[in-house]
Amino acid sequence: MGLGVGLIGSGYMGKCHALAWASVATVFPDVDRPRLVALADATPELAREQADAFGFGRGTGDWRDLISDPAVDVVSIAAPNQFHADMAVAALEAGKHVWCEKPMATSLEDAIRMRDAARRSSKTAILGYNYIQNPMIRHARNLIAEGRIGKVNHIRLEMDEDFMADPSQPFYWKSEKKSGYGVLDDFAVHPLSLLAVLHGRITSVVADMAKPYPERPTSDGARRPVENHDIAQALFRTEFGASGVLMVNRSAWGRKGRIALQIFGSKGSILYDQERMNELQIYSAEDPADLQGYRTILAAPPHVPYRQFIPAPGHGLGFNELKVIECHELLRAISGEHDAYVIDFERGLEIERTVHAAARSAVSGTWVKIEYIDLP
Amino acid sequence: MGLGVGLIGSGYMGKCHALAWASVATVFPDVDRPRLVALADATPELAREQADAFGFGRGTGDWRDLISDPAVDVVSIAAPNQFHADMAVAALEAGKHVWCEKPMATSLEDAIRMRDAARRSSKTAILGYNYIQNPMIRHARNLIAEGRIGKVNHIRLEMDEDFMADPSQPFYWKSEKKSGYGVLDDFAVHPLSLLAVLHGRITSVVADMAKPYPERPTSDGARRPVENHDIAQALFRTEFGASGVLMVNRSAWGRKGRIALQIFGSKGSILYDQERMNELQIYSAEDPADLQGYRTILAAPPHVPYRQFIPAPGHGLGFNELKVIECHELLRAISGEHDAYVIDFERGLEIERTVHAAARSAVSGTWVKIEYIDLP
Amino acid sequence: MGLGVGLIGSGYMGKCHALAWASVATVFPDVDRPRLVALADATPELAREQADAFGFGRGTGDWRDLISDPAVDVVSIAAPNQFHADMAVAALEAGKHVWCEKPMATSLEDAIRMRDAARRSSKTAILGYNYIQNPMIRHARNLIAEGRIGKVNHIRLEMDEDFMADPSQPFYWKSEKKSGYGVLDDFAVHPLSLLAVLHGRITSVVADMAKPYPERPTSDGARRPVENHDIAQALFRTEFGASGVLMVNRSAWGRKGRIALQIFGSKGSILYDQERMNELQIYSAEDPADLQGYRTILAAPPHVPYRQFIPAPGHGLGFNELKVIECHELLRAISGEHDAYVIDFERGLEIERTVHAAARSAVSGTWVKIEYIDLP
Amino acid sequence: MGLGVGLIGSGYMGKCHALAWASVATVFPDVDRPRLVALADATPELAREQADAFGFGRGTGDWRDLISDPAVDVVSIAAPNQFHADMAVAALEAGKHVWCEKPMATSLEDAIRMRDAARRSSKTAILGYNYIQNPMIRHARNLIAEGRIGKVNHIRLEMDEDFMADPSQPFYWKSEKKSGYGVLDDFAVHPLSLLAVLHGRITSVVADMAKPYPERPTSDGARRPVENHDIAQALFRTEFGASGVLMVNRSAWGRKGRIALQIFGSKGSILYDQERMNELQIYSAEDPADLQGYRTILAAPPHVPYRQFIPAPGHGLGFNELKVIECHELLRAISGEHDAYVIDFERGLEIERTVHAAARSAVSGTWVKIEYIDLP
């Protein structure tokens, strides 16, 4: 019998976790079917209703009750970001494995606290960076690691959506200062997670942040100043000597789920766009001269673990299915598999450090170095 | 508590059904969580193993045992095609609802037998034409129904894969005469199912079938004549006066899951390709002259029922998730919802008739009319 | 000093010829600069005006005067289609080389007459099938000839535009019976010219023609029946055993200059679309399994004769520049180069035969064989 | 009779000028046919040979001789960059109009000297920024000016090629310090010219430059340090309050002629890529919610001056044809048309200032402001 699962939060990502827990053993025959023990949400009523809908054994309005349940072995944290730190630390201290949604926390201090709790614990603690789980990203990672595009020397990362693009959209909490820097925390962690698995870490950065709309209307007909930034960009250098650019924009009309990567090396290049998540493009300078061009590779059984979902090529995985893969890697990590492909709290903290360094640079107008002095 | 489910077959499509049954109530809050009662497969051992993996209560080596189980309300048939008719008829006669994978049957007689059993029964009987469940296809259907591209006058349908493209691939059962016409039964039903929901029925057809490789190697080093056709194409006319072309090819190097539609009307056109299943292209002649061009629409919450899976636009559904939508429509049909969006045995038989008419035309070299005389 | 040029017609294609004659020696250093001797058009005034604009020495309202001018060595025929035959025959009989726009003629008899005149003459007589001159098409031709996609077994040809797509567009001469079959003569010769250089000849065909709008408004507020067909499609077999489909539509909303080719072979496939005329896509089954996918090759110096225009790759040729290449090949043919890459009257007649056979098939509803009995 | 033309230089861009001068009057009926008077090149022999090939009246080994020729009214300067300033100043002082290839000069001082000479002269002096002449760019310019995407708030500019991407390519003059900063002068002026016509000027910038290959092999088997930078990127702000990123890379494997623009506004966005120069993409937030998506607009007669080349839409212009359009705008400017669409020496100097400011920023690591104090 599989592990006991507790899920905190049943909104967008909570539902995504629930689907992953329900599907993981059907998709991956190497894992035992998890037991869906308990679901916690803001009120007992909501929790019970969602527990029924998602097939969990019980619902509770108190997440601490869920964490202390001895039948729960692993805790999925899909609650609002400001609660991540307390929940993750409590769960780890209660001896549970933790699967926490990104972003890790709303302050660097909290992220460090989470990392420290993970270090003290013998349990697995990972973050929900599901974009890395796309078979096409893993394929890109392998191709780069095998040297198929040579030494990487230049990287461009873009993440753009348009949910803040309408200037007439009323002011809401995402534009408050206490929500963070704006798009920088909201988005940048995603391309940075991809950079982490495809290449490595950023060591210095110079950034800029912009407000396309300095004010927004309020419900009472007034206008309120926007307190953070919907657009941000940064130049960077990496630990392996590449230069690059990071661009994030949540007011980019027309972009819906774009996470575009351009990775250039000494022997070729790789392109990817999350809006066409079942495709990867590669250019190889080793192709015959008259046949050189970008290949568009469609997701297919050779691209691990696509085959577990669909035996035929080109049929396409969806965004939600990346969470199923992540869940499987979490279970592998819990089982002690050393090659489990996850972003743990240690690596997650490095991503947070990069974001905060970029924010400092945007204020100072100068390059900021990122020291990884606290690495083991 | 939800309906009791019996699943026959646990291969590719059986797994796909199992995932759908496990997810449907989590995705769609309007349905009760189904009970996964029993799974049947070729042997009791395999059935028990797969029942465990897929979360079904018990496994059985005898599909008749599953059908007679009073705890089973609905039977998923994902067994080899030649068994569809016997299983579906038996299930209907036992008072179960039936969800049968396509193609409907391996002979027109069997398909008629299934349709007749469905007519005699008061239960729901539908076919697993999951491509129609793509929110982008349903969106196209709505756009066409609303007249956004005017009166449809020309249609091109292509379905191509390359699993038979390698001439050195050994002869196997797919190339035997008893497997059917070849690509015509294998593939044509899919684009025809899309035509059925987007436009209507084919009334006459002239077809051609081709063998790219007349012989294939056998395991003993000899060569064996290929007995059916890997390539087929047909010109057609529809009940609403459109002309069109149907092209199917299972030896088309480079195509992996292509189902390409081009639908032209008096006010615009619509394009779709299953290899980019989260996109739909539309051209509207009503756009301003200097802005006319194909729009690429990304799957998004306005496209029913995308929102149930993901609240953000452009994040993409996968092939397997179409089965979850189909499962939901099945449950709605069982509940008596009159607008359930499914292809029932009645409509499924019409698709089969079209395929067989095309095959006759390929032999005679002349146009063949398709009479729908037996419609109620 | 180069050849003396006479140009008949100064409309769309006449201008295109004029640009080609003005540029050919600048682009291609191996040819002498032609002398632009005379231009003929409907009236002496128009002819003189256009001669000035296009840089020709004189203008004349009488094309026979141009043909009899001893300073003219080669005659460009860009007059309306119904005059092609008389002009080409007269020019050949006057001892001139002929460069005649497509389609060859408005009747099969005329086309045969032109071919016969060319046989009797020692001069060069070619047709203006400029799409074959695209370096990407020539590259595709080479790749196919070298066996890079193996033995070709299936071909799909589409040519679509939308200049007749608006049902409210008034009746005009293109819809008259005396203009020919409709889209079949208008368009089909183009993809057939590409088929001729890429693969070979069609040997049998079954076709259908359709009228999306049976009537059109007239200027006096009435409606007039449309006398020919804006949509046509055909199934075919080729002299090398391939099956295929030809589709042409001049009422296809959204298509502007689409000539789409799909060519499947035993080792790969090639795709092309004239709307992206500087790209060619190739899929090779010989690529490593995890890197298989369509390559998008951009026009570049290795693709003859791109380098003559631009030394840098990926900068793109235009439609008009194909005529410059064609002009160069014409000059090479005139110089007696045996590998000149042109469609002469002999080959052009074969294309005409195919079109007429398709039209007969559309009437009879049966397959029609095309005999090439009159070939030398 | 048209203006007398003198052409200095007959390499890549010289040929491009020659083609433009030969075609401009054929394409555009509103201009008189220019007289091709003289061509200057490095030696009298080469000059004479090229004059013959390109149809110029005479050749000369001395560019000052060409400039002093009274039959020459306008001088095309397509000589190596280091000669631009001397030639342009001399031509202007000799009372000739000047059409000078980009980049303007190899030092800011020279560029100022050229601008000053133009100010002193009553003649027209423009730069060869032909990418702005693409009808799709002019269309984008109009759409933006009309407010179709609202107020522009964010811009991304990329220009990438791969002619320096191979690390084994021997050291040559492009990598010498005296050639300039590297890719920054080589490429950045192109996207900046597009920015100039589409939006406006950059007012501050922070930049980074990188060497993917610090050394390159030499012909004698040794290795030589690379003295400038093949990769550069910059964050910027514009005079109209937009933020943006400029990225240029001449070692980007797979990119051939990429100049990619992303322009985001408050009501939509526009995308463009020079590798598909006959397409423009626009997203309009004013489209119906269920139809929102990027439109791909194909070059067509409504996009000025496409119609002058080809009366049918979607047939495509080529890179060389942009020079013909530029030539026409030059002739319009010379005729005193106030809406001539060109980049004159005044505007060209601003582009140069931006490049030099970026280079200074890359050294200092800080933001650099660009003052336009010397504007009239």
Side-chain angles (χ1 to χ4, degrees), chain C residues 240-275:
Chain C
F240 299 114
S243 67
V245 186
L246 170 69
M247 295 158 271
V248 290
N249 188 345
R250 61 187 187 187
S251 64
W253 273 125
R255 301 306 195 185
K256 305 300 179 181
R258 177 171 167 88
I259 307 179
L261 314 179
Q262 301 179 58
I263 303 175
F264 297 97
S266 58
K267 289 166 56 184
S269 59
I270 282 179
L271 310 179
Y272 173 78
D273 182 350
Q274 176 70 22
E275 285 182 352

Short mmCIF file of all heavy atoms in Angstrom, two decimals, chain C residues 240-275:
data_model
loop_
_atom_site.label_atom_id
_atom_site.label_comp_id
_atom_site.label_asym_id
_atom_site.label_seq_id
_atom_site.Cartn_x
_atom_site.Cartn_y
_atom_site.Cartn_z
N PHE C 240 5.91 6.84 -61.92
CA PHE C 240 6.84 6.11 -61.05
C PHE C 240 6.13 5.41 -59.89
O PHE C 240 6.74 5.08 -58.88
CB PHE C 240 7.93 7.05 -60.55
CG PHE C 240 8.73 7.64 -61.66
CD1 PHE C 240 8.69 9.01 -61.93
CD2 PHE C 240 9.50 6.83 -62.48
CE1 PHE C 240 9.40 9.55 -62.98
CE2 PHE C 240 10.23 7.37 -63.54
CZ PHE C 240 10.18 8.73 -63.80
N GLY C 241 4.81 5.22 -60.05
CA GLY C 241 4.10 4.39 -59.10
C GLY C 241 3.62 5.07 -57.83
O GLY C 241 3.14 4.41 -56.92
N ALA C 242 3.75 6.38 -57.76
CA ALA C 242 3.25 7.06 -56.58
C ALA C 242 1.76 7.34 -56.71
O ALA C 242 1.25 7.53 -57.81
CB ALA C 242 4.00 8.38 -56.36
N SER C 243 1.08 7.39 -55.57
CA SER C 243 -0.30 7.87 -55.55
C SER C 243 -0.27 9.32 -55.08
O SER C 243 0.70 9.76 -54.47
CB SER C 243 -1.14 7.03 -54.59
OG SER C 243 -0.72 7.24 -53.25
N GLY C 244 -1.36 10.03 -55.36
CA GLY C 244 -1.35 11.43 -54.93
C GLY C 244 -2.68 12.09 -55.05
O GLY C 244 -3.67 11.51 -55.53
N VAL C 245 -2.71 13.32 -54.58
CA VAL C 245 -3.91 14.14 -54.61
C VAL C 245 -3.52 15.54 -55.06
O VAL C 245 -2.52 16.09 -54.61
CB VAL C 245 -4.58 14.22 -53.22
CG1 VAL C 245 -5.91 14.97 -53.31
CG2 VAL C 245 -4.76 12.84 -52.61
N LEU C 246 -4.31 16.09 -55.94
CA LEU C 246 -4.15 17.47 -56.41
C LEU C 246 -5.38 18.27 -56.00
O LEU C 246 -6.51 17.85 -56.28
CB LEU C 246 -4.03 17.48 -57.94
CG LEU C 246 -4.08 18.84 -58.63
CD1 LEU C 246 -2.83 19.66 -58.33
CD2 LEU C 246 -4.23 18.66 -60.14
N MET C 247 -5.17 19.40 -55.32
CA MET C 247 -6.30 20.20 -54.85
C MET C 247 -6.06 21.65 -55.22
O MET C 247 -5.01 22.20 -54.88
CB MET C 247 -6.39 20.09 -53.32
CG MET C 247 -6.72 18.68 -52.84
SD MET C 247 -6.23 18.35 -51.09
CE MET C 247 -4.54 17.74 -51.34
N VAL C 248 -7.02 22.27 -55.89
CA VAL C 248 -6.89 23.68 -56.25
C VAL C 248 -8.19 24.41 -55.94
O VAL C 248 -9.27 23.86 -56.13
CB VAL C 248 -6.51 23.86 -57.74
CG1 VAL C 248 -5.08 23.41 -57.99
CG2 VAL C 248 -7.44 23.07 -58.65
N ASN C 249 -8.04 25.62 -55.45
CA ASN C 249 -9.22 26.35 -54.98
C ASN C 249 -8.92 27.85 -55.06
O ASN C 249 -7.98 28.32 -54.44
CB ASN C 249 -9.50 25.94 -53.52
CG ASN C 249 -10.80 26.49 -52.98
OD1 ASN C 249 -11.39 27.41 -53.57
ND2 ASN C 249 -11.25 25.95 -51.86
N ARG C 250 -9.72 28.56 -55.84
CA ARG C 250 -9.50 30.00 -55.91
C ARG C 250 -10.54 30.77 -55.09
O ARG C 250 -10.62 31.97 -55.17
CB ARG C 250 -9.44 30.48 -57.36
CG ARG C 250 -10.69 30.25 -58.16
CD ARG C 250 -10.47 30.61 -59.64
NE ARG C 250 -11.73 30.55 -60.37
CZ ARG C 250 -11.85 30.67 -61.68
NH1 ARG C 250 -10.76 30.84 -62.44
NH2 ARG C 250 -13.02 30.62 -62.28
N SER C 251 -11.28 30.03 -54.27
CA SER C 251 -12.25 30.67 -53.37
C SER C 251 -11.95 30.27 -51.93
O SER C 251 -12.84 30.14 -51.12
CB SER C 251 -13.67 30.27 -53.76
OG SER C 251 -13.84 28.88 -53.57
N ALA C 252 -10.67 30.08 -51.63
CA ALA C 252 -10.26 29.57 -50.32
C ALA C 252 -9.87 30.74 -49.41
O ALA C 252 -8.69 31.12 -49.35
CB ALA C 252 -9.09 28.60 -50.47
N TRP C 253 -10.83 31.30 -48.71
CA TRP C 253 -10.57 32.43 -47.82
C TRP C 253 -9.34 32.20 -46.95
O TRP C 253 -9.24 31.18 -46.27
CB TRP C 253 -11.76 32.68 -46.88
CG TRP C 253 -12.83 33.58 -47.43
CD1 TRP C 253 -14.16 33.29 -47.54
CD2 TRP C 253 -12.66 34.92 -47.91
NE1 TRP C 253 -14.83 34.38 -48.08
CE2 TRP C 253 -13.94 35.39 -48.31
CE3 TRP C 253 -11.56 35.76 -48.06
CZ2 TRP C 253 -14.15 36.67 -48.84
CZ3 TRP C 253 -11.76 37.03 -48.59
CH2 TRP C 253 -13.04 37.48 -48.96
N GLY C 254 -8.44 33.15 -46.98
CA GLY C 254 -7.27 33.09 -46.11
C GLY C 254 -6.01 32.67 -46.83
O GLY C 254 -4.91 32.96 -46.39
N ARG C 255 -6.18 31.99 -47.95
CA ARG C 255 -5.01 31.57 -48.72
C ARG C 255 -4.71 32.65 -49.74
O ARG C 255 -5.61 33.09 -50.47
CB ARG C 255 -5.29 30.24 -49.43
CG ARG C 255 -5.66 29.11 -48.50
CD ARG C 255 -4.65 28.90 -47.41
NE ARG C 255 -4.83 27.59 -46.76
CZ ARG C 255 -4.15 27.20 -45.70
NH1 ARG C 255 -3.25 28.00 -45.13
NH2 ARG C 255 -4.35 26.01 -45.18
N LYS C 256 -3.45 33.05 -49.83
CA LYS C 256 -3.09 34.16 -50.69
C LYS C 256 -2.18 33.71 -51.84
O LYS C 256 -2.35 34.14 -52.98
CB LYS C 256 -2.37 35.23 -49.87
CG LYS C 256 -3.17 35.70 -48.65
CD LYS C 256 -4.51 36.30 -49.02
CE LYS C 256 -5.30 36.74 -47.79
NZ LYS C 256 -6.60 37.30 -48.12
N GLY C 257 -1.23 32.87 -51.55
CA GLY C 257 -0.36 32.40 -52.61
C GLY C 257 0.14 31.01 -52.23
O GLY C 257 1.28 30.66 -52.46
N ARG C 258 -0.77 30.25 -51.67
CA ARG C 258 -0.39 28.94 -51.17
C ARG C 258 -0.19 27.96 -52.31
O ARG C 258 -1.07 27.77 -53.15
CB ARG C 258 -1.49 28.41 -50.24
CG ARG C 258 -1.23 27.02 -49.70
CD ARG C 258 -2.29 26.70 -48.64
NE ARG C 258 -2.33 25.33 -48.25
CZ ARG C 258 -1.60 24.77 -47.28
NH1 ARG C 258 -0.77 25.51 -46.60
NH2 ARG C 258 -1.70 23.50 -46.99
N ILE C 259 1.00 27.37 -52.36
CA ILE C 259 1.23 26.19 -53.20
C ILE C 259 1.94 25.23 -52.28
O ILE C 259 3.15 25.37 -52.05
CB ILE C 259 2.09 26.49 -54.45
CG1 ILE C 259 1.51 27.65 -55.25
CG2 ILE C 259 2.18 25.25 -55.34
CD1 ILE C 259 2.32 28.01 -56.49
N ALA C 260 1.20 24.32 -51.72
CA ALA C 260 1.75 23.46 -50.68
C ALA C 260 2.02 22.07 -51.23
O ALA C 260 1.16 21.48 -51.88
CB ALA C 260 0.79 23.37 -49.50
N LEU C 261 3.23 21.59 -50.98
CA LEU C 261 3.63 20.27 -51.44
C LEU C 261 3.93 19.39 -50.24
O LEU C 261 4.57 19.83 -49.28
CB LEU C 261 4.92 20.36 -52.27
CG LEU C 261 5.00 21.43 -53.34
CD1 LEU C 261 6.38 21.36 -54.01
CD2 LEU C 261 3.89 21.25 -54.36
N GLN C 262 3.50 18.16 -50.30
CA GLN C 262 3.90 17.14 -49.34
C GLN C 262 4.35 15.94 -50.16
O GLN C 262 3.55 15.36 -50.89
CB GLN C 262 2.74 16.73 -48.44
CG GLN C 262 2.12 17.86 -47.63
CD GLN C 262 0.96 17.38 -46.77
OE1 GLN C 262 1.09 16.51 -45.92
NE2 GLN C 262 -0.20 17.97 -47.00
N ILE C 263 5.60 15.58 -50.01
CA ILE C 263 6.16 14.49 -50.81
C ILE C 263 6.74 13.45 -49.86
O ILE C 263 7.68 13.74 -49.11
CB ILE C 263 7.23 15.01 -51.77
CG1 ILE C 263 6.63 16.12 -52.66
CG2 ILE C 263 7.81 13.88 -52.62
CD1 ILE C 263 7.64 16.79 -53.56
N PHE C 264 6.16 12.27 -49.88
CA PHE C 264 6.57 11.22 -48.95
C PHE C 264 7.35 10.13 -49.67
O PHE C 264 6.93 9.68 -50.74
CB PHE C 264 5.34 10.61 -48.26
CG PHE C 264 4.60 11.60 -47.41
CD1 PHE C 264 3.48 12.26 -47.90
CD2 PHE C 264 5.05 11.91 -46.13
CE1 PHE C 264 2.80 13.19 -47.12
CE2 PHE C 264 4.38 12.85 -45.35
CZ PHE C 264 3.26 13.49 -45.84
N GLY C 265 8.44 9.73 -49.07
CA GLY C 265 9.25 8.66 -49.65
C GLY C 265 9.54 7.58 -48.63
O GLY C 265 9.08 7.65 -47.49
N SER C 266 10.32 6.62 -49.04
CA SER C 266 10.59 5.48 -48.16
C SER C 266 11.62 5.79 -47.08
O SER C 266 11.80 5.01 -46.16
CB SER C 266 11.08 4.29 -49.01
OG SER C 266 12.24 4.66 -49.73
N LYS C 267 12.28 6.95 -47.18
CA LYS C 267 13.28 7.31 -46.18
C LYS C 267 13.07 8.69 -45.57
O LYS C 267 13.91 9.13 -44.76
CB LYS C 267 14.68 7.27 -46.82
CG LYS C 267 15.16 5.87 -47.14
CD LYS C 267 16.37 5.85 -48.06
CE LYS C 267 17.54 6.64 -47.55
NZ LYS C 267 18.66 6.65 -48.54
N GLY C 268 12.01 9.35 -45.96
CA GLY C 268 11.78 10.68 -45.40
C GLY C 268 10.70 11.39 -46.16
O GLY C 268 9.97 10.79 -46.96
N SER C 269 10.58 12.68 -45.92
CA SER C 269 9.55 13.46 -46.61
C SER C 269 9.99 14.91 -46.72
O SER C 269 10.88 15.36 -46.00
CB SER C 269 8.21 13.35 -45.88
OG SER C 269 8.32 13.83 -44.56
N ILE C 270 9.36 15.59 -47.65
CA ILE C 270 9.67 16.99 -47.92
C ILE C 270 8.36 17.78 -47.96
O ILE C 270 7.39 17.34 -48.56
CB ILE C 270 10.43 17.12 -49.26
CG1 ILE C 270 11.90 16.73 -49.05
CG2 ILE C 270 10.33 18.53 -49.83
CD1 ILE C 270 12.76 16.78 -50.28
N LEU C 271 8.38 18.94 -47.31
CA LEU C 271 7.23 19.84 -47.30
C LEU C 271 7.66 21.21 -47.84
O LEU C 271 8.78 21.65 -47.60
CB LEU C 271 6.69 20.04 -45.87
CG LEU C 271 6.42 18.80 -45.04
CD1 LEU C 271 5.92 19.22 -43.66
CD2 LEU C 271 5.42 17.90 -45.73
N TYR C 272 6.72 21.86 -48.48
CA TYR C 272 7.00 23.20 -49.02
C TYR C 272 5.70 23.97 -49.09
O TYR C 272 4.64 23.38 -49.35
CB TYR C 272 7.62 23.09 -50.42
CG TYR C 272 7.78 24.43 -51.10
CD1 TYR C 272 8.82 25.27 -50.76
CD2 TYR C 272 6.85 24.85 -52.05
CE1 TYR C 272 8.95 26.52 -51.37
CE2 TYR C 272 6.97 26.09 -52.66
CZ TYR C 272 8.03 26.91 -52.32
OH TYR C 272 8.15 28.14 -52.90
N ASP C 273 5.77 25.27 -48.86
CA ASP C 273 4.60 26.13 -49.05
C ASP C 273 5.08 27.45 -49.66
O ASP C 273 5.92 28.13 -49.08
CB ASP C 273 3.89 26.39 -47.71
CG ASP C 273 2.65 27.24 -47.88
OD1 ASP C 273 2.41 27.79 -48.97
OD2 ASP C 273 1.90 27.35 -46.91
N GLN C 274 4.54 27.78 -50.81
CA GLN C 274 4.95 28.98 -51.53
C GLN C 274 4.75 30.25 -50.69
O GLN C 274 5.44 31.24 -50.89
CB GLN C 274 4.20 29.06 -52.86
CG GLN C 274 4.42 30.30 -53.68
CD GLN C 274 5.81 30.37 -54.28
OE1 GLN C 274 6.49 29.35 -54.44
NE2 GLN C 274 6.27 31.58 -54.58
N GLU C 275 3.82 30.22 -49.74
CA GLU C 275 3.62 31.40 -48.89
C GLU C 275 4.83 31.64 -47.98
O GLU C 275 4.97 32.73 -47.42
CB GLU C 275 2.32 31.30 -48.08
CG GLU C 275 1.09 31.54 -48.95
CD GLU C 275 -0.22 31.50 -48.19
OE1 GLU C 275 -0.21 31.13 -46.99
OE2 GLU C 275 -1.26 31.79 -48.78
#
